Amino acid sequence: MSEPDSGSDLASIRTRAERVDGGYRVNGTKVWTSNAHRSGYMIALFRTRVVPEKKHEGLSQFLVDPKSPGITIRPVIELSGSHHFNEVVFEDAFVPEDMRVGEEGAGWKQVGAELAFERSGPERYLSCLALLGELIREASTDPGERMAVAIGRLVAHLATLRQMSLAVAGMLERGENPNLEAALVKDLGTNFEQEIPEVVHALLGCEPTAAGSDLQQVQAYLVQKAPSFSLRGGTREILRGIIARGLGLR
Ligand SMILES: Cc1cc2nc3c(=O)[nH]c(=O)nc-3n(C[C@H](O)[C@H](O)[C@H](O)COP(=O)(O)OP(=O)(O)OC[C@H]3O[C@@H](n4cnc5c(N)ncnc54)[C@H](O)[C@@H]3O)c2cc1C
């Protein structure tokens, strides 16, 4: 979905898929494409028709074989040194007609439904679960009151988020539109995920380091990763805008 000039304002994407014999010719650039270098297929949102003043129209989704001619995948290396992201450049790449997903022009509605899955799924509140596990292991059978209260609070939040996530899955299953509810799960889930490394540091006082104990290694990895949790799948500000609109406040 994302492009160099289109992140939060996704409807402004410019990568163009023009009709040609048997399919579409694609030109443009995608960025932050998770695991494009490992994937057999990517699902991409392109502009199949330019509708002046109506940027949500004329968008379509495609399954794309990233090894096709005209597609270049360039790595974007993260702060942690890992290769997760990519820039994907399309230069006169051909995508066959039967690789279009759904109807031409229905892309905006389709990505909205997919984002509801992405924003409310377990991977939006479980990213730091391994660190919570390490904290519990460290606390062992005699955590002391301060640590017991902190762990109890985190586990209670985890159980609540799981219930909320399951409730959104139920709405999707019934064909309902959970835009507002999914944004709530992601906003709360992200806060929860980002809080865990802070709580561990405050309770144990151990410094994150890649050369330390298991706990310190998990901590070091997550301290570098955690800032990205409130960006991927929609930033905090965008989610709160969706929530405000859903509640009729804007
Ligand atoms: C770990 C990770 C994985 C990702 N994986 C993928 C992927 O696989 N595929 C993909 O397509 N993208 C992916 N992304 C990209 C992600 O979706 C975008 O980073 C995100 O949508 C924000 O877009 P942006 O980075 O262009 O920031 P911008 O949209 O430029 O936003 C910059 C800042 O301005 C704020 N802002 C922007 N508009 C408003 C507004 N209207 N009101 C208030 N504040 C606003 C934002 O909240 C943010 O703080 C990934 C990102 C991360 C961090």
Side-chain angles (χ1 to χ4, degrees):
M1 289 181 255
S2 306
E3 297 186 4
D5 296 317
S6 305
S8 301
D9 184 16
L10 182 61
S12 68
I13 62 157
R14 287 188 301 201
T15 298
R16 190 79 169 91
E18 287 169 285
R19 276 237 180 227
V20 291
D21 257 3
Y24 299 81
R25 183 176 51 232
V26 181
N27 281 288
T29 302
K30 295 288 174 184
V31 75
W32 315 125
T33 316
S34 298
N35 296 317
H37 58 303
R38 295 198 183 101
S39 304
Y41 287 92
M42 56 190 287
I43 183 162
L45 183 69
F46 299 140
R47 187 165 294 286
T48 41
R49 199 159 58 93
V50 178
V51 189
E53 312 299 325
K54 291 187 177 170
K55 60 185 180 179
H56 300 87
E57 293 182 16
L59 301 173
S60 308
Q61 280 188 305
F62 296 86
L63 282 178
V64 178
D65 176 354
K67 289 175 290 305
S68 313
I71 301 180
T72 310
I73 299 175
R74 298 196 189 115
V76 179
I77 304 299
E78 283 181 51
L79 175 70
S80 64
S82 56
H83 177 194
H84 165 88
F85 292 132
N86 300 275
E87 182 183 64
V88 184
V89 181
F90 297 83
E91 290 166 301
D92 287 335
F94 176 73
V95 180
E97 168 130 33
D98 62 2
M99 296 298 266
R100 197 184 65 232
V101 179
E103 286 168 41
E104 191 175 289
W108 185 253
K109 197 171 163 225
Q110 290 172 203
V111 291
E114 287 156 22
L115 280 168
F117 272 106
E118 177 175 344
R119 288 174 176 157
S120 62
E123 70 275 27
R124 290 297 168 263
Y125 61 91
L126 294 180
S127 307
C128 291
L129 193 68
L131 190 54
L132 181 56
E134 288 299 320
L135 175 66
I136 292 169
R137 196 196 315 274
E138 197 73 22
S140 190
T141 50
D142 184 21
E145 193 185 340
R146 185 164 165 253
M147 199 179 294
V149 167
I151 291 174
R153 187 173 164 273
L154 288 175
V155 172
H157 282 190
L158 179 64
T160 309
L161 282 162
R162 182 171 183 276
Q163 278 309 116
M164 291 175 76
S165 172
L166 284 171
V168 176
M171 289 179 76
L172 286 161
E173 186 74 22
R174 293 191 296 276
E176 296 167 19
N177 176 357
N179 253 353
L180 163 65
E181 291 81 355
L184 268 167
V185 174
K186 200 209 161 215
D187 192 32
L188 293 170
T190 294
N191 283 347
F192 171 74
E193 290 180 325
Q194 290 181 334
E195 190 186 2
I196 292 175
E198 307 273 338
V199 171
V200 168
H201 188 250
L203 285 175
L204 302 178
C206 63
E207 293 304 322
T209 158
S213 63
D214 284 355
L215 184 135
Q216 284 173 303
Q217 289 182 39
V218 179
Q219 207 185 352
Y221 176 75
L222 289 170
V223 162
Q224 293 177 84
K225 283 272 180 187
S228 74
F229 298 161
S230 50
L231 301 177
R232 63 184 183 189
T235 67
R236 182 169 279 137
E237 291 76 19
I238 293 304
L239 295 172
R240 291 183 183 178
I242 293 171
I243 295 166
R245 194 179 307 116
L247 295 175
L249 301 174
R250 68 187 272 253

